[in-house]
Amino acid sequence: MAMKTYAIAAIPGDGIGPEVVDAGVEVLEAVAKRDGGFAVRVDRFDWGGDYYKKHGRMMPENGRDLIRKHDAILFGSAGHPDIPDHITLWGLRLAICQPFDQYANVRPTRVLPGITSPLRAVNGHELDWVIVRENSEGEYAGVGGRVHRGSPLEAATDVAMFTRAGVERIMRFAFRLARSRPRKFLTVVTKSNAQRHAMVMWDEIAAQIAAEFPDVKWDKMLVDAMTMRMVMRPQTLDTIVATNLHADILSDLAAALAGSLGIAPTANLNPERAFPSMFEPIHGSAFDIMGKGIANPIGTFWSSVMMLEHLGEPKAAARLMRGIEMVTADRRFHTPDLGGVARTADVTTAVLDAIHGANV
Ligand code: IPM
Ligand code: MG
């Protein structure tokens, strides 16, 4: 039988994106080889800010067609100091997420071995969350406009748009994910006290979908109070579902509480698999440290674990995750974001060694 080969589209993007994606590709290839049951073929696409400067757009017009047939996408980061952020975002990341209907953005948060949380309440206790971010509509729907530019009458709107279909599918996804985890517990984040239309519908649909999952316990939390609960009572949370913007903000808080934004992974999933899903570190382009060789590749490695799980390679995923945890446990391999002096290459080599080691 021919060995299964997964086609991966790598889009390193801007800033430290290329540094961490190169490291991620190395690790993916190594873990595939170590397990022997599958291979990866990586195609690189040089889209992003530099591409924009040459071509006036972040990716070619037929860009999506070039990656539509791939099994998964490994994304670095989009963002460039010379280009407005809304152009880099909408021209690349959202230009992939939205048409590929990657409506479930999954962001696991754990304090990995060797990492110190800034929370006193956490060290020595468990912090194990997964944030599910609605990733196709809400505050990021792109609905709105701007008129009378520059005049005193100038006006602008960004309309948060919620559809019944969009809310039902993300709630179902979140309840299902909560059910797959030991605590079977979901917290639905809302702001229905102030936002009396869409957020009230959001709450109603949550209650309706909850009835399909009698074995999952759930509660509801206003987003402002949620920030307090995350800091003060982190052990009371497990799976969390929130709107696009709420979860964007909460997931940065979550990443910081788990020790560093440099570690946090994310998966942009099309659960129906009609399109490839996209995996990326949360940290962004970090131009201040670009080219210095000190970017933390762990966020990309953990995102690669999520990719392997999605591809149906749980053994390889678990092996890579164990390798990551062995490396974070050793302070010699902490990059500056974790208070250490290690370089991207040191961390990558250590993870490669761990993958090849007998006990991983
Ligand atoms: C994230 C990021 C992006 C977002 C930025 C880069 C636009 O913060 O993935 O959380 O807001 O979606
Ligand atoms: Mg964010």
Side-chain angles (χ1 to χ4, degrees):
M1 206 179 76
M3 181 155 55
K4 173 103 188 112
T5 300
Y6 298 108
I8 310 297
I11 307 175
D14 305 317
I16 59 171
E19 300 166 49
V20 293
V21 165
D22 280 350
V25 166
E26 241 187 289
V27 160
L28 269 173
E29 285 171 344
V31 82
K33 208 170 277 165
R34 172 68 161 84
D35 263 45
F38 68 97
V40 292
R41 190 197 82 223
V42 179
D43 299 318
R44 280 168 206 273
F45 299 88
D46 64 344
W47 305 338
D50 291 331
Y51 188 96
Y52 181 90
K53 288 189 156 174
K54 270 185 245 141
H55 304 279
R57 44 187 307 144
M58 294 289 288
M59 67 195 264
E61 205 165 346
N62 68 339
R64 277 189 303 273
D65 294 327
L66 302 176
I67 58 176
R68 191 182 299 275
K69 292 275 171 329
H70 283 72
D71 294 296
I73 304 162
L74 183 63
F75 190 85
S77 151
H80 197 284
D82 308 338
I83 309 171
D85 286 339
H86 65 274
I87 292 182
T88 53
L89 176 66
W90 283 92
L92 190 57
R93 189 165 162 278
L94 290 183
I96 296 171
C97 281
Q98 296 208 343
F100 281 0
D101 209 15
Q102 295 165 347
Y103 64 85
N105 183 264
V106 181
R107 303 187 160 190
T109 305
R110 276 196 293 127
V111 184
L112 297 186
I115 308 291
T116 311
S117 167
L119 283 185
R120 247 178 316 152
V122 163
N123 295 307
H125 296 273
E126 194 121 53
L127 184 160
D128 188 353
W129 302 334
V130 186
I131 298 179
V132 175
R133 171 180 179 184
E134 201 296 318
N135 211 32
S136 68
E137 52 175 37
E139 307 87 346
Y140 283 52
V143 179
R146 191 160 164 194
V147 291
H148 305 310
R149 273 181 198 250
S151 108
L153 294 177
E154 182 163 3
T157 58
D158 271 295
V159 179
M161 195 185 65
F162 290 83
T163 63
R164 172 165 283 275
V167 178
E168 284 184 359
R169 67 184 185 174
I170 200 65
M171 288 296 170
R172 227 171 245 124
F173 181 89
F175 272 99
R176 214 171 272 143
L177 181 64
R179 180 156 73 187
S180 75
R181 291 166 53 84
R183 291 168 70 183
K184 299 191 195 308
F185 179 61
L186 178 69
T187 298
V188 176
V189 176
T190 184
K191 190 65 195 174
S192 49
N193 54 349
Q195 297 177 294
R196 57 186 177 160
H197 307 295
M199 285 293 89
V200 173
M201 181 178 84
W202 170 269
D203 290 1
E204 285 170 13
I205 293 175
Q208 168 206 325
I209 301 298
E212 296 172 17
F213 296 84
D215 53 333
V216 176
K217 290 191 299 297
W218 70 290
D219 63 6
K220 215 166 64 181
M221 209 64 212
L222 295 170
V223 64
D224 46 350
M226 182 67 173
T227 59
M228 284 229 311
R229 180 161 164 197
M230 287 168 71
V231 173
M232 308 298 286
R233 292 186 297 134
Q235 329 77 332
T236 66
L237 294 164
D238 187 82
T239 311
I240 297 159
V241 64
T243 71
N244 215 328
L245 181 63
H246 290 167
D248 177 35
I249 298 164
L250 295 181
S251 60
D252 268 25
L253 175 60
L257 297 180
S260 169
L261 200 55
I263 291 175
T266 187
N268 300 278
L269 299 179
N270 173 251
E272 289 73 29
R273 296 170 189 265
F275 301 97
S277 292
M278 181 157 80
F279 302 82
E280 56 172 341
I282 289 190
H283 51 59
S285 44
F287 269 87
D288 52 327
I289 59 163
M290 175 176 90
K292 293 190 177 159
I294 54 168
N296 190 344
I298 296 288
T300 305
F301 296 163
W302 194 348
S303 303
S304 303
V305 170
M306 299 183 82
M307 177 192 287
L308 290 166
E309 283 165 354
H310 180 75
L311 291 172
E313 299 293 344
K315 247 184 66 194
R319 184 189 303 283
L320 178 52
M321 196 67 222
R322 284 196 301 274
I324 291 170
E325 292 185 2
M326 272 176 64
V327 169
T328 60
D330 187 337
R331 297 192 63 83
R332 287 177 305 158
F333 300 121
H334 286 189
T335 41
D337 56 300
L338 294 170
V341 294
R343 305 178 57 77
T344 313
D346 303 327
V347 184
T348 307
T349 307
V351 171
L352 291 171
D353 287 347
I355 290 169
H356 291 123
N359 52 356
V360 173

